[in-house]
Amino acid sequence: MSKKDYVELSKDWFDKQAPVYDEKDVILYSKYGKISCQNICDYLKNKEYKNLLDIGCGTGYLIDLLSKDSKSKFTGLDLSPKMIDECNKKKIKNSKFVVGKSDELPFEDNSFDIVTCSQSFHHYPETDKPLKEALRVLKPGGFYIISDTGVGPFKDFGVKFDNFVYRHFSKSGDCNVSYLEKMEKDMKKNGFKIVYSKKITTFIYFIVGEKE
């Protein structure tokens, strides 16, 4: 399938899931997303920032958590119009939500102090362009925080199997699975300085990159 096909698969998958995504706390719905979002919240606790962009924001779950004790401004972007509808229903303070793509962010250079991406990157057909776009919209000294499901201990074998075999049978648009060490290398290649990384679970990784 082409890049466009995977984008459409992801859009259709999450449009269908949107109305029940938050309440279905299981794998393939919000289970892993909630884990990643909580870890992002924990990392950002007591850190000061004026504005934050969440790429692949889904139902706005992360922004809703962050906004409760913050005066910062939040922007959420998602490929799925139905997910954005769910975000807007929540009426989260100091926030706005837009439909858009991770590799064509509709924002000016140096716009955000923080850019987050939780449980979304493995749906992106490309690696470099979304990373370059995240770097572009970050202010110098800003941080890109990614938490995603990877192939864990299977590493390169898992990447090859998932991205060259399984992806052809996937109905959800999964097409670009990675793992901690590989994503660190990809982020460095695209201009980030890695300032923090860890494995949250066997398969979920967490990385923070700084724009210098």
Side-chain angles (χ1 to χ4, degrees):
M1 287 189 286
S2 68
K3 170 187 171 182
K4 183 178 179 181
D5 292 329
Y6 285 109
V7 171
E8 287 302 311
L9 273 177
S10 291
K11 175 183 171 296
D12 291 344
W13 179 263
F14 288 110
D15 273 348
K16 292 173 183 175
Q17 287 193 339
V20 295
Y21 189 79
D22 283 348
E23 65 189 66
K24 285 203 170 186
D25 189 15
V26 295
I27 297 173
L28 296 183
Y29 280 81
S30 61
K31 184 178 180 67
Y32 286 172
K34 289 176 180 177
I35 293 171
S36 288
C37 287
Q38 188 57 58
N39 274 266
I40 292 172
C41 286
D42 292 344
Y43 183 82
L44 288 175
K45 188 176 182 180
N46 299 323
K47 289 182 171 58
E48 293 186 6
Y49 55 93
K50 292 182 179 179
N51 47 43
L52 177 148
L53 168 66
D54 186 25
I55 302 174
C57 66
T59 62
Y61 185 85
L62 174 61
I63 289 177
D64 195 19
L65 288 177
L66 290 169
S67 69
K68 294 185 187 302
D69 300 307
S70 174
K71 296 180 180 179
S72 302
K73 294 182 179 179
F74 300 93
T75 301
L77 175 141
D78 202 276
L79 182 68
S80 162
K82 297 295 185 183
M83 285 291 193
I84 296 300
D85 287 345
E86 295 301 313
C87 293
N88 288 324
K89 288 177 185 177
K90 295 181 178 180
K91 301 186 183 302
I92 304 168
K93 69 176 184 179
N94 299 326
S95 66
K96 64 177 180 180
F97 298 93
V98 298
V99 176
K101 297 168 61 179
S102 63
D103 58 358
E104 297 175 7
L105 297 176
F107 309 109
E108 295 182 359
D109 296 359
N110 307 316
S111 294
F112 300 96
D113 300 303
I114 305 287
V115 174
T116 58
C117 181
S118 60
Q119 295 299 328
S120 181
F121 207 97
H122 60 277
H123 288 273
Y124 304 164
E126 298 179 61
T127 297
D128 292 343
K129 197 168 181 184
L131 290 174
K132 284 183 170 65
E133 279 291 274
L135 187 74
R136 178 183 68 79
V137 302
L138 268 175
K139 298 175 184 177
F143 296 98
Y144 177 61
I145 305 173
I146 178 171
S147 181
D148 204 16
T149 299
V151 295
F154 300 105
K155 296 192 175 182
D156 291 334
F157 171 79
V159 166
K160 289 178 182 177
F161 178 81
D162 274 29
N163 297 343
F164 295 97
V165 179
Y166 173 73
R167 68 186 285 176
H168 297 292
F169 303 95
S170 171
K171 302 295 184 184
S172 61
D174 293 17
C175 61
N176 190 13
V177 181
S178 189
Y179 58 92
L180 182 74
E181 294 84 357
K182 183 178 185 303
M183 182 55 74
E184 285 181 340
K185 290 179 181 178
D186 287 331
M187 288 174 66
K188 289 176 183 177
K189 182 179 72 172
N190 285 285
F192 290 101
K193 174 186 175 182
I194 305 302
V195 296
Y196 182 80
S197 67
K198 71 172 183 177
K199 291 180 181 177
I200 298 174
T201 70
T202 301
F203 292 100
I204 301 176
Y205 61 85
F206 183 100
I207 307 174
V208 182
E210 181 181 5
K211 178 178 179 176
E212 297 185 282

